[in-house]
Every structure is written in C-alpha cells, then in structure tokens.
C-alpha cells in the first residue's frame, strides 16, 4: 500500500518541480499581465506566455519528440513553415502605394537595418558566436516572424529569448523612437510638411510584388521563403480577383498559425535554456538595435536632403523599423506635435513597409553568409 502511494506521488509533477520552473511561471505570468492588462502585443504574447507556462510543468513530455508542443515547434517553426505563412498574411494587408509613389523611402527602410548590424557587432563583443550574434541583431528589424525565422536557421536555442525581446520592444516603439528622433532632429525639421504623394495606379501595384520578387530573390536567394510569400499575399490583395484567398490569408490562416507560432516559441523557453546571463544581454542588445535602427533611418533622410530638391521630413526615417504600422503612427504624432498642419502618416508608411522588406533581406543575407 505504501509503495503504491509512493509511486502515485512520484508519478505526479509535484516532487519534480524545480525553482527554475517556478521562475519561468513567474516570467509567463508577467508576460500574460503585459499582454492582457497593458495590451502589449497580445496576439503573440498570450500564446507565447501560455506556452512558457505549460512547457515548464515537469513530466509532461510536451517538448519531447512526439509531444504536442514539440510538433508545433519542429513542424511549424524548425522546418520554416509558419513564419512564411505569417508573411503571406502580412502581404495581404500591406499597401505598397507609398513606396511606389516615393521610391526613395526604400533607402530609408534599408538604412534602418543599421540597428541590425550595430547589435550584431555588439553581440560579438559580448562573446556570442557569429550565428547567435546574427540572430540577436535581427531584433533591430522589429519584425517578430523574421526574428523567429532566422533563429530557427541559425540559433534555435535562443529562439525564446530573441522572440520575446522582439515582440516586447515592438510594443515599446512609442517609447523608443521619440527620444532618438528628438535628439537627432531640430524642431524645424520635425515641422517640415512634405508634398502630397502622387496617385499610384492599380497596374503599378500589381507589378510591384512581381518586380520586387524578381530583384530581391535573385540578389539574396535565401530570402525567398519570406519575400515570395510576402509578395504573393500582396498580389492576392492588389489583383482584386481572389478576394477569398486574400481574406483567408490575412484573417483565418493568420490567426491559426499565430496560435501555433506562439505556443511553439513559448515552449522553447524552459528554465534550462532561458535562465542564463546571456538572456539579459539579449534584452540589452535589443534596445541598442532598436535605437540604432531609428537613428540610421533619420540620418540617411538628412543626408538625402542635402542632394535632393524634393526633401523629406527626417522623422519618417525612424519609421524604417518594420513595426507596421505602429512606427509610422509614432512618427506621424511627432510631426503633428511640431506642426499641427503636418500629416506624415502615409509618407511614413513608405519606409515602414520598406523596413519589412529590408529585414527579410538582412535575414537572408545572414543565412547565406553563415549557414
């Protein structure tokens, strides 16, 4: 009788709980609080936080081969299925009109990748290897799916930390961009009113995803999974003839894969992999990456103004971080504070959307160079 009771107790998880499990539950509850109470990226942080919570129960086998969360992670993320599907949905929600109307904004989106490379080289100084440094650097692109995609390729053991950092800092864009923008611009520059953009035809919008795919994938073939799906989703939307596919891509499919993505990422955050000093370094480097990304876009905008007659408000360069559309909204608000007649939202959407492309290209370049 006593032996049976002992076996019964041992088969529960009570005696197998570790201090690390309890700490990770606290981390999970903290993320749930931010997502539910404060509205910090709830669509991702709610499933991620629950994934952390569930994966840190002992003896469940959720992340062992054949386990439920292991299948989400292995089949959906490690095999690079879910991030491209997310990009399909993003493409079906993206308007490239501002980029087509003002192609210079592509340069601003590219300039914002300065944050990626600043964090990359700083991570090397912190002692991370080159694959880990690249994975940390991509946080500067402010693009969660791209961060997860690159981590799955180069440093799966860092996926939980870099994913949470990327999505957390995306929500903190309204706090990160303003001080950087105000430091690097004058009140007169922030008050600058830009000329109204020209109308963009439907034909241009249909051709753009095709031409962009042609150029980008030929130059950086490893970016194809993200870029091809991104442009396909956009073609669905702009063609106007496959409304059902457009709706499924940006609604039902997007929502379903977001659940699996969040659970799969959260489940990688066991106490053994997360509770390390390098996790703190990752969050510090994430802030560095975001700040340099905003600064890079602003400085390139100011340099462009030295050589062009059709000048741009330097603030829109800060929207090159690809937190769409939050970064563009923050830039618009900064411009309106300096000049109530200033309407920068659509102008800022150009570099904002270009930043998504730039981050995907940067990820492809890292994979090509390192993998």
């Amino acid at each position: 009788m006593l032996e049976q009771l002992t076996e019964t107790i041992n088969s529960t998880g009570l005696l197998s709980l570790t201090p690390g499990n309890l700490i990770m539950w606290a981390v999970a509850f903290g993320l749930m609080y931010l997502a539910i109470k404060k509205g910090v990226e709830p669509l991702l942080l709610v499933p991620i936080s629950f994934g952390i919570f569930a994966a840190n129960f002992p003896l469940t086998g959720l992340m062992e081969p054949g386990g439920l969360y292991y299948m989400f992670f292995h089949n959906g993320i490690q095999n690079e299925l879910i991030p491209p599907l997310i990009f399909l949905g993003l493409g079906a929600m993206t308007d490239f009109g501002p980029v087509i109307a003002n192609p210079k904004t592509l340069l601003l989106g590219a300039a914002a990748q300065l944050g990626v490379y600043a964090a990359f080289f700083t991570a090397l100084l912190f002692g991370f290897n080159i694959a880990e440094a690249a994975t940390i650097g991509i946080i500067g692109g402010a693009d969660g799916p791209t961060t997860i995609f690159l981590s799955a390729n180069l440093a799966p053991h860092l996926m939980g930390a870099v994913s949470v950092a990327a999505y957390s800092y995306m929500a903190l864009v309204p706090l990160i961009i303003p001080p950087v923008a105000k430091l690097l611009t004058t009140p007169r520059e922030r008050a600058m009113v830009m000329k109204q953009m020209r109308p963009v035809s439907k034909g241009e919008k249909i051709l753009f995803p095709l031409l962009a795919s042609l150029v980008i994938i030929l130059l950086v073939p490893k970016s194809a999974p993200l870029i091809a799906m991104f442009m396909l989703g956009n073609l669905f939307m702009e063609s106007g003839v496959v409304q059902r596919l457009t709706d499924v891509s940006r609604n039902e499919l997007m929502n379903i894969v977001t659940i699996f993505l969040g659970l799969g990422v959260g489940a990688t955050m066991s106490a053994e992999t997360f509770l390390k000093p390098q996790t703190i370094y990752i969050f510090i480097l994430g802030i560095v990456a975001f700040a340099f990304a905003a600064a890079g876009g602003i400085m390139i905008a100011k340099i462009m103004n030295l050589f062009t007659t059709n000048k741009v408000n330097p603030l829109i360069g800060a929207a090159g971080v690809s937190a769409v559309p939050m970064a563009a909204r923050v830039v618009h608000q900064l411009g309106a504070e300096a000049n109530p007649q200033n309407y920068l939202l659509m102008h800022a959407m150009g570099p904002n959307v270009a930043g998504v492309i730039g981050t995907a290209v940067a990820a492809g370049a890292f994979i090509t160079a390192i993998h």
Side-chain angles (χ1 to χ4, degrees), residues 178-339:
V180 175
K182 290 178 179 179
L183 178 66
L184 297 177
T185 59
T186 65
R188 183 177 179 182
E189 287 174 326
R190 295 195 291 274
M192 183 190 301
V193 176
M194 294 178 62
K195 293 181 181 178
Q196 185 174 356
M197 292 185 293
R198 69 171 180 84
V200 177
S201 69
K202 181 176 180 178
E204 289 177 295
K205 289 187 174 183
I206 291 175
L207 282 175
F208 183 84
L210 301 175
L211 294 176
S213 299
L214 186 68
V215 173
I216 296 170
I217 296 175
L218 281 176
L219 292 177
V220 189
K222 293 295 184 180
S223 67
L226 299 182
I227 293 297
M229 297 300 280
F230 189 47
M231 297 305 171
L232 175 61
N234 188 251
L235 186 60
F236 283 167
M237 181 182 71
E238 299 297 356
S239 70
V241 296
V242 286
Q243 191 60 44
R244 285 165 53 190
L245 298 183
T246 303
D247 290 341
V248 168
S249 298
R250 63 188 177 192
N251 293 311
E252 291 86 354
L253 180 61
M254 187 80 150
N255 293 333
I256 290 169
V257 297
T258 296
I259 294 171
F260 295 151
L261 179 73
L263 290 174
V265 168
T268 66
M269 294 174 63
S270 64
E272 295 78 18
T273 59
F274 191 79
L275 298 179
K276 297 179 179 180
Q278 65 181 22
T279 302
I280 298 174
Y281 300 154
I282 288 170
F283 278 84
I284 293 172
L285 290 167
I287 295 177
V288 171
F290 266 64
F292 272 90
I298 291 170
M299 296 310 297
I300 290 298
K302 297 180 77 163
I303 293 171
M304 284 170 52
N305 284 343
L306 298 176
F307 302 99
T308 59
T309 54
N310 185 16
K311 300 187 184 302
V312 301
N313 187 313
L315 282 176
I316 71 170
V321 296
S322 55
V324 180
M326 191 182 300
R329 289 175 181 162
V330 171
V331 164
H332 169 71
Q333 290 168 359
L334 288 171
E337 287 174 8
N339 179 359

Side-chain angles (χ1 to χ4, degrees), residues 108-185:
L108 300 180
Q113 305 314 307
L114 173 66
V116 172
Y117 298 106
F120 169 70
F121 287 112
T122 307
L124 291 176
L125 295 177
F126 271 69
F128 290 94
N129 65 42
I130 191 167
E132 294 170 336
T135 301
I136 294 167
I138 210 69
I139 296 172
D143 190 326
T146 304
T147 301
I148 293 167
F149 176 78
L150 188 63
S151 176
N153 275 273
L154 299 183
H157 58 288
L158 295 184
M159 183 178 295
V162 296
S163 301
V164 170
Y167 282 109
S168 299
Y169 290 140
M170 283 169 65
L172 294 178
V173 160
L175 299 179
I176 297 172
I177 287 181
V180 175
K182 290 178 179 179
L183 178 66
L184 297 177
T185 59

